[in-house]
Amino acid sequence: NWCVGLLIIRKVKMLKVFSKKCHANLESNITFSFSIFPNCNIKKLENLTYRIAEILKEVFKDLYDISLDIKLPNDLMINGKKVGGILTETKLQGENVRVLVIGIGINTTVSSFPEELEGKATSIKRELDIEVANFWLIFRFLEQFELNFRSVF
């Protein structure tokens, strides 16, 4: 989606740590990933996935009064079912993180799941009948991510 691309590129220029390689899908659910070149010690990124989950939890609470749960190591849950997940990958040079890729997927509108996932996976729309504005959720997440990690990078 070109709007998300422009939004993220704007953030890229502001933060000077995001790459221009960002992929996002806003058609139905939230799926996006972005790269950062932090050039920091790996120890500064301890519990990174959990910290990202906490940011997402806060954003959902602020925007929609939705209380998500975090299931370690990387799942976002609602009513005991998985609604999303976070993946992080690093490229190291010794103890230094050269590249950090963060991927986030959140089921916001999907209404049906394969039989093997019934009762295990869900969406915000299915559980709470709430329409999530995916674009603004990503925007708010990026703002909060910047505030939380500015000192790290």
Side-chain angles (χ1 to χ4, degrees):
N1 185 308
W2 68 270
C3 290
V4 172
L6 289 177
L7 166 76
I8 293 170
I9 289 171
R10 180 171 174 222
K11 285 280 189 193
V12 168
K13 290 179 181 175
M14 188 170 77
L15 291 175
K16 296 182 179 162
V17 293
F18 289 94
S19 80
K20 292 189 180 179
K21 289 189 176 184
C22 182
H23 305 281
N25 173 7
L26 292 179
E27 298 303 317
S28 57
N29 296 305
I30 293 174
T31 56
F32 74 105
S33 62
F34 57 97
S35 303
I36 301 173
F37 304 92
N39 198 24
C40 69
N41 189 285
I42 187 69
K43 291 179 181 167
K44 284 190 171 187
L45 300 181
E46 286 180 336
N47 300 313
L48 175 68
T49 302
Y50 184 80
R51 290 162 59 194
I52 291 169
E54 284 287 329
I55 293 169
L56 286 165
K57 184 176 174 178
E58 179 183 312
V59 168
F60 269 98
K61 186 68 173 169
D62 289 348
L63 290 178
Y64 299 102
D65 198 29
I66 294 173
S67 295
L68 297 179
D69 295 313
I70 300 169
K71 179 181 173 192
L72 295 176
N74 63 344
D75 292 340
L76 298 171
M77 310 289 287
I78 191 163
N79 296 334
K81 301 173 194 164
K82 183 174 178 175
V83 73
I86 303 148
L87 295 175
T88 56
E89 186 174 329
T90 58
K91 173 131 181 153
L92 299 173
Q93 184 175 26
E95 294 276 314
N96 245 15
V97 179
R98 293 295 182 203
V99 181
L100 169 63
V101 179
I102 298 169
I104 296 172
I106 302 169
N107 298 328
T108 54
T109 62
V110 69
S111 58
S112 63
F113 292 87
E115 187 177 320
E116 64 271 12
L117 295 179
E118 280 298 332
K120 297 176 184 174
T122 193
S123 71
I124 301 297
K125 177 75 173 157
R126 187 174 181 181
E127 290 297 309
L128 304 172
D129 199 30
I130 294 174
E131 296 284 337
V132 173
N134 294 345
F135 176 85
W136 294 114
L137 193 115
I138 292 172
F139 182 84
R140 180 69 68 88
F141 167 77
L142 290 173
E143 285 182 325
Q144 293 304 310
F145 183 87
E146 176 189 0
L147 289 173
N148 282 270
F149 288 98
R150 182 180 288 163
S151 64
V152 174
F153 305 132

